[in-house]
């Protein structure tokens, strides 16, 4: 995210159930009662969606998995009872053919306009993949994902697709009168080298999980370099939980309350399951805490406690509204353009994050943009000064120092 770019904030739709506490929501892992106290019915999920819409979020991420309701059916129903908010619809690559996926997305945009994006999920739990009937090894799943994204992109852009790939074979595929005036961006997550190659070649937005900013910056730089080799410039998003309160002490008390509520047996079972998964991203999340509750603060305000019981995104920003906004701003400086946020429970926290954190993040971004514009103006004046003039050079340096002091 550039210093002047407006941050794009999305929210999460808890289609596996919701509650005040994180926990297992997948059918493979086992479902935690505290995490699913509020059922994933249309009435409640519509409430969350309307709250996120009113709070100013751009899109809602709808996850995919055995413990979630089907995202296509659910988002179509929720879109009908909301007005503006978009949907980042996750789907498992390989469980449907790309022409059908493109047709589903095109139907959605015909009905609801530019309110859809696609989140392509390769899958990282072999047990769940086999439950879906998918027996490909990890490296071949990524080959298939790349082929699928190539076809979906061509069709949604109004083109014809012919591909004889290792896993995807389509002939003369096209959509009937596609609604191309509404672009459908492809989001994609994955941390392995194979995933980064797919992201570089096919993703409009590469999604990361919440590692410390330095690690995020390293990954962003690596994917950018790979994408540049094939003439592409992707955007980057990050998936984070948020525990934000009026004061830092209040926020950390809430984190402590959540941690105290974890069943040690649930933590043990979750960590065993995560260890057998072949997801590089999951391995990186687990490595942040190593399954231990003794070292959960892995970066300023970045708490890995949620990853003790929840797969996927396992870190939360914990702190006052100002602290959380500053940390999000730092991720923007590390290259993040979009933020997919969540909090427990998702209904109340949508309002809290939208009303308290989002304005502070916008203010930080606007201040940085104004500072950058001022620096650029000073540089322009310097270019116009007489070359080699000691008096002019001294004046420009003083002005630059003064500008820096004011900005500080």
């Amino acid at each position: 995210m550039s210093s002047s770019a407006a941050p794009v904030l999305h929210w999460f739709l808890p289609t596996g159930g919701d509650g005040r506490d994180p926990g297992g929501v997948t059918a493979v892992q086992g479902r935690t009662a505290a995490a699913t106290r509020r059922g994933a019915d249309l009435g409640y999920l519509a409430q969350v969606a309307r709250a996120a819409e009113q709070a100013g979020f751009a899109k809602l991420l709808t996850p995919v998995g055995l413990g979630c309701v089907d995202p296509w059916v659910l988002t179509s129903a929720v879109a009908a009872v909301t007005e503006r908010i978009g949907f980042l619809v996750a789907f498992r690559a390989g469980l449907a053919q790309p022409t059908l996926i493109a047709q589903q997305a095109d139907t959605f945009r015909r009905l609801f306009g530019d309110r859809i994006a696609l989140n392509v999920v390769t899958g990282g739990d072999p047990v769940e993949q086999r439950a879906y009937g998918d027996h490909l090894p990890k490296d071949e799943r990524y080959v298939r994902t790349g082929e699928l994204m190539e076809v979906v992109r061509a069709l949604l852009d109004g083109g014809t697709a012919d591909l004889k790939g290792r896993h995807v074979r389509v002939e003369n595929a096209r959509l009937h009168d596609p609604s191309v005036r509404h672009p459908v961006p492809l989001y994609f997550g994955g941390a392995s080298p194979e995933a980064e190659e797919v992201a570089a070649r096919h993703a409009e937005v590469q999604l990361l999980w919440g590692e410390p900013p330095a690690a995020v910056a390293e990954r962003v730089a690596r994917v950018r370099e790979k994408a540049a080799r094939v003439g592409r410039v992707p955007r980057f998003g990050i998936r984070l939980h948020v525990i934000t309160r009026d004061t830092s002490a209040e926020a950390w008390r809430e984190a402590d309350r959540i941690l105290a509520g974890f069943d040690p047996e649930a933590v043990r079972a979750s960590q065993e399951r995560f260890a057998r998964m072949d997801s590089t991203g999951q391995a990186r999340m687990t490595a942040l805490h190593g399954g231990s509750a003794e070292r959960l603060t892995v970066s300023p305000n970045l708490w890995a406690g949620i990853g003790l019981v929840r797969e996927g995104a396992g870190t939360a920003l914990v702190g006052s509204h100002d602290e959380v906004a500053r940390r999000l701003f730092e991720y923007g400086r590390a290259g993040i353009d979009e933020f997919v946020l969540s909090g427990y429970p998702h209904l109340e926290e949508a309002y809290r994050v939208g009303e308290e954190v989002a304005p502070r993040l916008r203010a930080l971004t606007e201040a940085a943009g104004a500072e950058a514009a001022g620096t650029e103006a000073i540089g322009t004046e310097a270019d116009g000064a007489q070359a080699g003039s000691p008096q002019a050079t001294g004046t420009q340096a003083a002005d630059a120092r003064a500008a820096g002091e004011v900005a500080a």
Side-chain angles (χ1 to χ4, degrees):
M1 184 175 72
S2 70
S3 59
S4 59
V8 180
L9 302 184
H10 310 299
W11 196 242
F12 183 81
L13 199 60
T15 62
D18 198 13
R20 292 184 63 209
D21 304 282
V25 296
T26 70
V28 173
Q29 179 184 5
R31 297 170 64 78
T32 306
T36 56
R37 191 168 295 156
R38 302 179 187 180
D41 56 57
L42 179 58
Y44 179 68
L45 294 176
Q47 277 187 286
V48 176
R50 285 191 288 263
E53 183 173 71
Q54 185 172 351
F57 291 97
K59 294 185 181 70
L60 287 160
L61 171 61
T62 57
V64 63
L66 286 175
C68 307
V69 298
D70 178 75
W72 283 109
V73 176
L74 185 278
T75 52
S76 295
V78 175
V81 295
T82 52
E83 297 177 0
R84 302 176 304 280
I85 198 161
F87 297 88
L88 179 50
V89 181
F91 69 89
R92 290 288 175 98
L95 301 188
Q97 292 300 315
T99 305
L100 176 60
I101 294 166
Q103 187 179 30
Q104 289 173 310
D106 186 55
T107 300
F108 196 106
R109 66 183 177 180
R110 282 171 179 259
L111 297 176
F112 302 109
D114 60 353
R115 297 173 62 188
I116 183 172
L118 296 179
N119 180 28
V120 187
V121 179
T122 301
D125 182 353
V127 173
E128 188 173 43
Q129 291 299 119
R130 291 194 293 270
Y132 275 117
D134 182 12
H135 297 267
L136 282 183
K138 175 182 177 179
D139 55 348
E140 289 300 312
R141 291 203 304 270
Y142 278 110
V143 173
R144 179 180 61 192
T145 297
E147 294 174 351
L148 180 145
M149 291 175 74
E150 179 180 343
V151 173
V152 169
R153 176 76 286 142
L155 295 178
L156 288 175
D157 287 348
T160 300
D162 283 280
L163 180 65
K164 294 183 179 179
R166 293 220 301 258
H167 302 285
V168 175
R169 298 184 181 183
V170 298
E171 298 180 7
N172 196 31
R174 61 169 61 88
L175 298 177
H176 173 67
D177 191 24
S179 186
V180 294
R181 67 186 181 280
H182 300 304
V184 179
L186 299 181
Y187 290 62
F188 171 78
S192 66
E194 300 94 333
E196 290 182 348
E197 290 294 336
V198 171
R201 292 180 176 276
H202 301 291
E204 274 78 54
V205 181
Q206 164 73 342
L207 285 176
L208 289 71
W209 287 334
E211 298 180 66
V216 167
E218 179 183 334
R219 290 187 58 195
V220 166
R222 191 163 58 244
V223 175
R224 275 181 177 162
E225 181 180 356
K226 292 180 178 181
R229 294 176 195 158
V230 292
R232 302 188 69 250
V233 183
R235 290 166 57 83
F236 294 87
I238 194 167
R239 175 82 179 87
L240 283 162
H241 304 284
V242 175
I243 302 175
T244 183
R245 295 295 186 269
D246 292 340
T247 68
S248 182
E250 289 178 89
W252 284 108
R253 280 198 296 271
E254 176 64 8
D256 290 341
R257 183 199 65 79
I258 288 173
L259 181 62
F262 289 162
D263 179 356
E265 176 57 26
V267 172
R268 185 199 62 76
S270 296
Q271 294 305 305
E272 284 187 359
R273 175 176 176 249
F274 301 159
R276 74 168 182 256
M277 293 170 66
D278 58 11
S279 165
T280 301
Q282 184 62 62
R284 293 173 71 103
M285 284 284 100
T286 301
L288 292 176
H289 53 70
S292 171
E294 300 303 316
R295 47 191 179 95
L296 295 177
T297 303
V298 297
S299 183
N301 300 101
L302 186 64
W303 184 66
I306 290 176
L308 291 174
V309 295
R310 187 193 187 282
E311 70 175 278
T315 52
L317 289 178
V318 181
S320 68
H321 307 314
D322 288 318
E323 288 173 331
V324 170
R326 284 197 296 271
R327 297 293 89 81
L328 291 173
F329 180 74
E330 288 172 6
Y331 279 113
R333 288 291 180 95
I336 296 299
D337 304 289
E338 304 186 21
F339 301 89
V340 183
L341 306 176
S342 56
Y344 297 92
H346 290 76
L347 175 60
E348 291 89 332
E349 294 304 307
Y351 285 116
R352 194 191 307 268
V353 175
E355 293 171 355
E356 300 291 352
V357 175
R360 288 169 165 83
L361 177 58
R362 284 194 297 269
L364 288 171
T365 306
E366 290 167 1
E371 180 181 349
T375 302
E376 182 178 349
I378 291 171
T380 302
E381 292 174 4
D383 291 341
Q386 181 178 351
S389 166
Q391 182 177 2
T393 302
T395 301
Q396 293 151 14
D399 288 346
R401 286 195 299 272
E405 291 165 1
V406 171

